[in-house]
Amino acid sequence: MEAAGAGVAPIRAQYLTSKEQFHAYLKAERESRNQENNQDDGEEDPSSNDQTEPPAKQMKLDGADQVRNQGSQEEVVKEEEKKPQERKRARGQNKSRPCMKPNHYEKDRLCQSVIQECAEKCYFGSQCRFLHDVGEYMAVKPSDLGDSCILFKTFGKCIYGVTCRFARAHLGEDYRNFVNEDLVKQWEGKPLVRNSLSKELQQRLRKKKVCFDKSSEYLSHLGKPSSTGNAGNKAAGNSTGEEGMTNCTASKGNAEGVDVLPPGEETPEYLAVSEKGEASESMVLQSSCLADASKDSTLKTIGPVTDEDVIKLRLCEKKRLDIQGKLYLAPLTTCGNLPFRRICKRFGADVTCGEMAVCTNLLQGQSSEWALLKRHHTEDLFGVQLEGAFPDTMTRCAELLNQTIEMDFVDINVGCPIDLVYKKGGGCALMNRSNKFEQIVRGMNSVLDVPLTVKIRTGVQEKVNLAHKVIPNIRKWGASMVTLHGRSREQRYTKVADWEYIAECAKLASPMPLFGNGDILSYEDANRAMQTGVSGIMIARGALIKPWIFTEVKEQRHWDISSNERFDILKDFTNYGLEHWGSDTQGVEKTRKFMLEWLSFLCRYIPAGLLEYLPQKINERPPYYMGRDYLETLMASQNVDDWIKISEMLLGPVPTNFIFLPKHKANSYR
């Protein structure tokens, strides 16, 4: 055991241990608990991963565990051997992660028509590649994980029927699905999750039959020469790179894959572009043909015609984003999913935002991308974050979302540091592409009825700050708010956030609100951040490490949360995940996957009662320590196998040949 050095969290001496002793303790505890469970006849411990499995399958599971443990040990040895020879430090993402698809979990899957108890309506008939015999499916179906189904218990009906991994809670004779009519009526007409992609809209997007009148009008001006004789704007909103394509309706093979129908004959010219590509703030308000506009609109209006239907709102008349002093949960890729946001809302998060969505994928109607926009009914102040590199795709995507989903604001991601986004000109790269950046902000602002916000970093290079130059322009272009992460792209998360620079930028942004982001893990950190003059704070990794940080900030206290309380949070996440992704095998494994991603951050939390002094710093690495009980010690492990063990306590044994590698390499301690 070594004393805590620089960059190591200060844990009390009586709790410190060595790496060998730490893993030996967990192994011994696991074996003793398994022996106790084996001695119990028919009694199941909720914290055990020993489910009632056929002997052959149990042998496979045990063999998979041994293979996984041997593999992890060999990898550790190999890494130790490679360390002296390594020149580049690990950073960014694990790009070669194994992909577990649904057919890896279930080779014989049941047809959806049978699940919904309407087998006669299978459109594929004898050519259907899924099973239609329920008895045959039940013979190979994995055993149930419990006696209580969260969907049946909450809503009165489980739509997954016999495929549910908790099916015995709601299956009767002949595998008939029980329905609690009282609960079903209670939830009837109350949509729990909004912003889903309809089949009709998806088909129109794929067939390129969606009309973008407002975007077409704005983008048509970007390619036109100005009245002063300018030959044309080189940075026009054309992401295809083809010459002579100044009109957004000219190409069927544009970047976003969406063909734009020509606008109506009479459309208001409310954007005039100057030599510098700046849109005139004085809009020419002309009344357009309301019949034509309503005919092309994707939303049908009901009720009397109002001024807002005829006259476009000026920027100063738009709904304002009033979140001064509120706690903002950052849009977090992968981990910031809907179940996690529900957890944070319960602990006091005021503002939530969906995961980063790529605009081109949304315009192509990709279901997986549209799933990132879903909004739970408890999210009262919700926004979506878009990523893109060109004015045409971003403007059209903004107009599409403005007409089809419910949101309180739209955020532009100008802070994403990953290479895949940066090399295409998106994310942080927009800070160096001021012309494109301006056209994106002005274009999106012109087609949105909700406020537009921008999230940026201090700059691209480590010692070259750009935010103080960009923020005044963002305010001038019409954005309602800007969020500044106090690090550059090159820094990633390896150095502390620069809050002094954030304070300087907050003064430059005034009167536009500026939210600060970076290294907030306690209410003291939040208080110091608010003293810099920012309008509010955004919390990202701090919420992943301890989602109850919102409660701590609002109540101004340290919460020495117990291991059982933390485990209850994971139980709630499990239930929310089964509601959102499904209670069948595919939904269970998807919930497990996102839980494991989250556990790669949760393991960094150090209980307040174990620290020499408070608060814990976000960039201080936790040494090996023994918790106050087995569960607290298990949750402190940074070994993937122990994370899998925790998931098995909630979701049962992992499938055969299961492999998990976290998305992020988590090099923030280096």
Side-chain angles (χ1 to χ4, degrees):
M1 293 181 290
E2 299 179 358
V8 180
I11 295 180
R12 294 178 182 178
Q14 62 264 37
Y15 297 108
L16 291 173
T17 186
S18 64
K19 179 179 179 181
E20 293 75 16
Q21 291 174 339
F22 179 84
H23 289 296
Y25 168 76
L26 289 179
K27 182 179 180 181
E29 282 290 327
R30 186 181 301 117
E31 290 176 354
S32 65
R33 286 167 180 261
N34 288 340
Q35 289 176 1
E36 291 176 4
N37 294 329
N38 291 335
Q39 292 174 1
D40 294 336
D41 296 330
E43 293 184 5
E44 294 185 2
D45 187 349
S47 64
S48 172
N49 67 326
D50 290 338
Q51 303 289 330
T52 305
E53 300 285 358
K57 184 173 181 181
Q58 191 64 47
M59 290 177 62
K60 288 183 179 179
L61 291 172
D62 295 339
D65 288 339
Q66 293 177 3
V67 171
R68 186 170 63 245
N69 292 334
Q70 291 175 1
S72 62
Q73 291 174 2
E74 291 175 0
E75 289 176 3
V76 171
V77 173
K78 290 180 180 178
E79 288 296 326
E80 292 293 333
E81 294 176 354
K82 289 182 180 179
K83 274 185 180 178
Q85 303 174 359
E86 283 182 353
R87 294 182 180 179
K88 294 183 179 180
R89 56 185 180 179
R91 60 185 299 173
Q93 295 180 320
N94 287 312
K95 298 180 180 179
S96 301
R97 297 195 305 159
C99 180
M100 297 290 286
K101 295 183 178 179
N103 56 1
H104 293 165
Y105 307 131
E106 285 184 308
K107 293 183 179 179
D108 299 314
R109 300 172 65 191
L110 199 61
C111 179
Q112 281 293 327
S113 63
V114 180
I115 297 173
Q116 303 302 327
E117 299 181 350
C118 51
E120 66 278 359
K121 295 184 180 180
C122 180
Y123 296 104
F124 299 97
S126 58
Q127 296 181 349
C128 181
R129 59 191 179 94
F130 297 111
L131 294 178
H132 283 250
D133 187 342
V134 178
E136 182 182 353
Y137 171 78
M138 294 299 288
V140 297
K141 177 192 171 185
S143 61
D144 283 356
L145 302 175
D147 297 323
S148 177
C149 173
I150 186 64
L151 295 178
F152 179 72
K153 182 180 178 180
T154 306
F155 307 110
K157 181 181 179 180
C158 178
I159 61 175
Y160 297 94
V162 294
T163 63
C164 175
R165 294 299 299 277
F166 308 86
R168 58 177 172 233
H170 50 77
L171 283 188
E173 296 181 359
D174 299 328
Y175 306 114
R176 287 289 177 183
N177 206 16
F178 290 145
V179 177
N180 187 331
E181 298 293 346
D182 295 335
L183 278 176
V184 171
K185 290 180 180 178
Q186 182 180 338
W187 289 100
E188 191 174 1
K190 297 179 181 178
L192 298 176
V193 178
R194 289 168 280 180
N195 299 348
S196 299
L197 175 64
S198 66
K199 287 293 182 183
E200 184 267 338
L201 177 59
Q202 186 178 44
Q203 290 176 359
R204 289 174 56 207
L205 287 169
R206 289 176 175 176
K207 294 179 180 180
K208 305 175 186 178
K209 298 296 183 183
V210 177
C211 180
F212 300 99
D213 284 345
K214 296 178 182 178
S215 301
S216 300
E217 183 176 359
Y218 171 78
L219 295 169
S220 64
H221 290 284
L222 294 182
K224 288 183 178 179
S226 64
S227 57
T228 57
N230 186 10
N233 192 346
K234 293 181 180 179
N238 184 0
S239 61
T240 59
E242 299 181 12
E243 297 181 0
M245 294 180 60
T246 56
N247 194 313
C248 62
T249 63
S251 171
K252 294 183 180 179
N254 48 34
E256 74 281 52
V258 177
D259 205 11
V260 181
L261 297 179
E265 296 180 358
E266 296 181 34
T267 53
E269 294 187 8
Y270 56 85
L271 283 172
V273 181
S274 63
E275 289 184 22
K276 297 181 180 179
E278 297 180 356
S280 174
E281 295 183 359
S282 60
M283 301 179 180
V284 183
L285 299 175
Q286 300 177 357
S287 59
S288 62
C289 182
L290 184 60
D292 291 342
S294 61
K295 189 182 299 182
D296 293 334
S297 176
T298 59
L299 290 181
K300 296 182 180 180
T301 57
I302 300 176
V305 177
T306 63
D307 290 342
E308 292 182 4
D309 297 321
V310 182
I311 304 173
K312 181 178 174 63
L313 291 176
R314 292 180 295 173
L315 295 179
C316 62
E317 296 174 332
K318 277 190 177 182
K319 179 183 177 182
R320 294 185 180 276
L321 188 62
D322 185 17
I323 59 174
Q324 180 84 19
K326 294 186 182 296
L327 296 179
Y328 187 169
L329 173 64
L332 301 163
T333 305
T334 305
C335 292
N337 46 67
L338 187 144
F340 174 76
R341 297 199 304 269
R342 289 183 65 182
I343 294 287
C344 292
K345 281 297 294 182
R346 200 185 70 193
F347 281 114
D350 298 312
V351 186
T352 56
C353 186
E355 302 174 62
M356 180 189 77
V358 181
C359 62
T360 50
N361 295 343
L362 293 174
L363 290 168
Q364 292 168 2
Q366 293 186 15
S367 301
S368 58
E369 206 72 21
W370 276 81
L372 304 178
L373 308 179
K374 289 185 177 180
R375 172 184 189 172
H376 195 261
H377 70 94
T378 58
E379 297 181 272
D380 49 352
L381 196 50
F382 173 79
V384 297
Q385 187 182 66
L386 300 180
E387 182 279 320
F390 299 97
D392 54 352
T393 53
M394 290 290 278
T395 305
R396 289 168 188 155
C397 187
E399 183 177 0
L400 174 65
L401 299 186
N402 190 65
Q403 296 173 340
T404 55
I405 71 171
E406 296 181 26
M407 57 194 175
D408 297 301
F409 62 92
V410 175
D411 185 65
I412 306 176
N413 189 332
V414 193
C416 184
I418 64 174
D419 295 339
L420 182 66
V421 173
Y422 180 80
K423 290 179 179 179
K424 292 182 179 180
C428 279
L430 283 175
M431 297 187 72
N432 284 327
R433 305 169 69 221
S434 57
N435 201 5
K436 281 283 190 289
F437 192 6
E438 177 184 0
Q439 292 170 357
I440 288 172
V441 175
R442 290 189 182 276
M444 293 178 70
N445 213 19
S446 68
V447 299
L448 284 172
D449 296 329
V450 295
L452 179 70
T453 66
V454 182
K455 186 175 187 292
I456 63 174
R457 284 178 176 256
T458 58
V460 178
Q461 298 175 336
E462 185 172 346
K463 297 181 180 179
V464 183
N465 290 333
L466 297 174
H468 63 284
K469 299 178 181 179
V470 174
I471 287 174
N473 290 332
I474 294 176
R475 183 187 64 224
K476 183 176 64 175
W477 299 336
S480 299
M481 190 189 83
V482 65
T483 304
L484 177 58
H485 183 181
R487 294 184 183 85
S488 65
R489 175 181 181 265
E490 286 186 354
Q491 286 175 303
R492 296 291 175 99
Y493 300 98
T494 55
K495 295 187 179 180
V496 296
D498 190 350
W499 278 93
E500 292 182 2
Y501 183 65
I502 293 176
E504 295 176 13
C505 292
K507 296 176 182 177
L508 293 173
S510 183
M512 178 182 65
L514 182 141
F515 269 52
N517 171 230
D519 295 347
I520 297 174
L521 191 60
S522 65
Y523 76 89
E524 290 102 329
D525 295 335
N527 292 344
R528 280 192 294 270
M530 289 301 296
Q531 291 171 3
T532 61
V534 296
S535 302
I537 55 174
M538 173 185 280
I539 304 178
R541 284 184 302 158
L544 291 173
I545 295 171
K546 54 182 217 184
W548 55 92
I549 185 176
F550 301 101
T551 301
E552 291 188 349
V553 173
K554 289 189 173 182
E555 297 181 2
Q556 292 290 291
R557 68 180 177 96
H558 291 291
W559 186 355
D560 189 10
I561 188 169
S562 69
S563 58
N564 287 328
E565 288 175 309
R566 292 164 63 191
F567 192 71
D568 287 339
I569 295 173
L570 290 174
K571 284 182 180 178
D572 291 335
F573 179 85
T574 301
N575 290 334
Y576 296 159
L578 295 174
E579 284 183 26
H580 185 58
W581 292 303
S583 59
D584 58 347
T585 299
Q586 185 175 349
V588 167
E589 295 310 319
K590 188 167 285 190
T591 302
R592 189 194 307 275
K593 168 193 168 186
F594 286 106
M595 179 188 291
L596 291 171
E597 292 284 1
W598 185 22
L599 284 169
S600 69
F601 287 92
L602 279 175
C603 66
R604 305 184 198 178
Y605 170 71
I606 304 173
L610 274 60
L611 290 169
E612 284 279 3
Y613 53 84
L614 296 169
Q616 176 186 353
K617 297 295 182 182
I618 200 168
N619 276 18
E620 287 181 342
R621 176 178 55 82
Y624 285 97
Y625 66 90
M626 291 290 187
R628 291 165 290 192
D629 55 43
Y630 167 69
L631 191 55
E632 193 168 75
T633 307
L634 182 64
M635 289 180 172
S637 175
Q638 299 191 27
N639 190 330
V640 174
D641 294 334
D642 291 322
W643 303 342
I644 293 174
K645 167 67 178 176
I646 295 173
S647 77
E648 289 179 328
M649 294 163 69
L650 295 162
L651 292 167
V654 296
T656 307
N657 301 326
F658 179 84
I659 300 174
F660 173 75
L661 191 64
K663 182 175 182 180
H664 298 284
K665 294 180 180 177
N667 65 325
S668 57
Y669 302 127
R670 300 193 177 203

